[in-house]
Amino acid sequence: MVKQARAFTTRALIVKGAAIAFERYGYDGASLNEVVEAAGTTKGALYFHFKTKESLAREVIAAQQRQSVAAVEAIEASDATALEKIVMVCHEMARQILEDPIVRAGMRVTLELSLTDGPHHPYENWITGCARLARRAIDEGDLREDVDAEALGHFIVSAFTGVQLFSQFQTQRADLPQRVHEMLQVLLSGLVPPRRRGKLDKILAAGWTPASET
C-alpha cells in the first residue's frame, strides 16, 4: 500500500511537471529533462510511468478533460436554472485556465496536436453539456424557442476558445473573466426572449464555487 501511494504521488508530480513544461515550451519545445526538473523526480521514475513524451502529453490532456467534465457534471447537478448553469460553466472553465497549469497545458497541447494526430473532438463533452443545458433553457422559457440547442453548444465552446486565446495574446489572460462576461452578455442578449430580459442581469451574475473551495 505504501509503494502504491508513493507511485501514485510520483505519477501526479510527473503529470504536473509535464504540464508546466508543456505550457511553457509547447509540446515540441518541451524536453523530458525539463519535465523531470519541473516534477522534481528522475528520468527513471518518468519512464516507469510513461514510455514516451506523447503518452505523457495525452495524460495531461486526459487530466484536463477529466477536470472539465467533473465541473460540468457538478454544475448540472446544482439548483440553478439551465441558462444560469451555462454561465457558470463558462466562468468555471475560465477559472480553471487561470488557476491550474494542467488545464492550461492540456488546452495548449490539444491545439498543437490537433494539427497532426491529436485527440478527436477534444471538447465534445463540454459541447454536449452546453447543448443539453440549452435545450433545458428553451423548455424553461429562458431561451427563444427557435434556438438550435446543438448549434449553440458548439458556438459557446468555439467562442470561449477564441476569447481565451485573444485574452492570452492581449493581457496574458488577466482580463479573461471580464472578456467571458462580455461574450455571454452579447450572446444571451439576443437569445433571451423579451419577456425574460428582466432576468438577464441575474443570469449573467450566476456563480458557482467548486466543492473543494467551500
Side-chain angles (χ1 to χ4, degrees), residues 35 57 145 201 207:
V35 171
E145 293 181 358
D201 286 344

Side-chain angles (χ1 to χ4, degrees), residues 16-87:
K16 186 171 183 180
I20 292 170
F22 290 147
E23 181 193 2
R24 185 175 301 164
Y25 304 110
Y27 175 73
D28 288 332
S31 70
L32 292 180
N33 284 333
E34 286 157 341
V35 171
V36 168
E37 181 179 354
T41 58
T42 65
K43 267 196 174 180
L46 187 153
Y47 284 123
F48 176 81
H49 291 281
F50 301 98
K51 302 305 181 186
T52 65
K53 186 167 77 168
E54 180 182 352
S55 65
L56 184 52
R58 291 185 183 279
E59 176 56 29
V60 170
I61 292 171
Q64 179 250 316
Q65 292 180 346
R66 285 194 296 270
Q67 290 182 226
S68 298
V69 169
V72 171
E73 291 177 347
I75 290 170
E76 281 198 85
S78 72
D79 294 330
T81 67
L83 197 53
E84 288 173 337
K85 291 175 183 178
I86 290 176
V87 171

Side-chain angles (χ1 to χ4, degrees), residues 75 78 80 84-85 87-89 91 202-210:
I75 290 170
S78 72
E84 288 173 337
K85 291 175 183 178
V87 171
M88 292 175 182
V89 166
H91 282 296
K202 177 179 179 293
I203 291 168
L204 290 169
W208 180 76
T209 302

Side-chain angles (χ1 to χ4, degrees), residues 93-174:
M93 296 302 107
R95 185 197 68 80
Q96 288 187 7
I97 289 172
L98 290 174
E99 297 182 6
D100 195 322
I102 289 178
V103 172
R104 293 193 297 272
M107 296 184 74
R108 175 170 181 172
V109 174
T110 294
L111 288 172
E112 291 179 356
L113 292 185
S114 66
L115 300 176
T116 54
D117 189 30
H120 300 292
H121 310 296
Y123 301 125
E124 195 63 36
N125 288 318
W126 185 6
I127 292 170
T128 301
C130 284
R132 185 165 54 244
L133 289 172
R135 286 192 292 273
R136 293 177 189 168
I138 293 169
D139 292 339
E140 292 172 1
D142 286 337
L143 285 178
R144 296 196 327 250
E145 293 181 358
D146 62 341
V147 170
D148 184 324
E150 282 67 32
L152 181 58
H154 277 275
F155 184 79
I156 288 172
V157 176
S158 301
F160 181 94
T161 301
V163 164
Q164 71 90 11
L165 284 173
F166 191 76
S167 175
Q168 179 184 359
F169 298 150
Q170 291 290 95
T171 68
Q172 293 297 299
R173 298 195 180 102

